[in-house]
Amino acid sequence: MAFWTSNEAEDDKAGSSIPRPIVSLKTLDDYIEAVESVSGVRVVKIGADFCRSCRATAPKLRKMANKYADVSFYEFDYSKNEKFCKEELGVERLPHFEIFVNEEGRKESFPCGWDQIYSKLEGRLIEHLGKC
């Protein structure tokens, strides 16, 4: 699940405006692969199309994905995985974010609205980046 080719990565480091896509995780298998198979810091946004706050966080999350090139960003579809999200991940409100660090697994799991994405999500992300 690479975000870009090596040339695009070099262009991004040079300060170009190539947008980094956020990888969409449609199935439970996609989710498990992303959180278990990828090393480094990973952010997973759990959201749904019907959720207005989820849609409102999208542009801010894209900005974060461009700002933190060493972090892998994902979106997991709550609508198609509602039972798993509620029972296994403890999701009670949307949007919900998870931060995974290396092989240690999930370090953070919390709801975060569009108005808190920089203060809450980015603050916690910076904290974990400093520990890597």
Side-chain angles (χ1 to χ4, degrees):
M1 290 187 171
F3 285 129
W4 52 47
T5 65
S6 59
N7 289 342
E8 289 171 327
E10 290 304 316
D11 290 344
D12 190 64
K13 289 178 186 171
S16 79
S17 60
I18 294 174
R20 291 189 59 215
I22 297 170
V23 176
S24 180
L25 307 172
K26 299 285 186 197
T27 67
L28 182 55
D29 288 339
D30 292 343
Y31 172 86
I32 292 169
E33 181 182 343
V35 301
E36 291 182 356
S37 303
V38 181
S39 64
V41 177
R42 286 100 58 213
V43 173
V44 178
K45 172 188 167 186
I46 300 169
D49 289 338
F50 66 79
C51 171
R52 201 166 75 177
S53 188
C54 296
R55 292 190 308 270
T57 61
K60 293 180 178 185
L61 196 62
R62 281 192 299 272
K63 283 183 183 178
M64 253 195 240
N66 285 320
K67 184 176 179 180
Y68 298 100
D70 294 338
V71 177
S72 299
F73 286 83
Y74 301 94
E75 290 182 317
F76 187 50
D77 191 340
Y78 176 86
S79 298
K80 294 179 181 171
N81 303 283
E82 184 174 353
K83 184 176 179 179
F84 174 76
C85 290
K86 285 182 175 179
E87 294 176 8
E88 301 298 322
L89 303 179
V91 175
E92 295 177 3
R93 287 190 355 231
L94 296 176
H96 192 92
F97 289 87
E98 298 181 311
I99 299 174
F100 294 83
V101 179
N102 297 319
E103 296 78 31
E104 298 172 34
R106 183 169 62 179
K107 302 299 280 184
E108 300 263 0
S109 182
F110 54 91
C112 180
W114 67 271
D115 57 336
Q116 300 172 317
I117 198 163
Y118 292 125
S119 62
K120 193 172 186 179
L121 175 60
E122 189 171 30
R124 292 179 181 188
L125 180 59
I126 290 169
E127 213 175 278
H128 290 293
L129 286 170
K131 295 177 184 177
C132 288

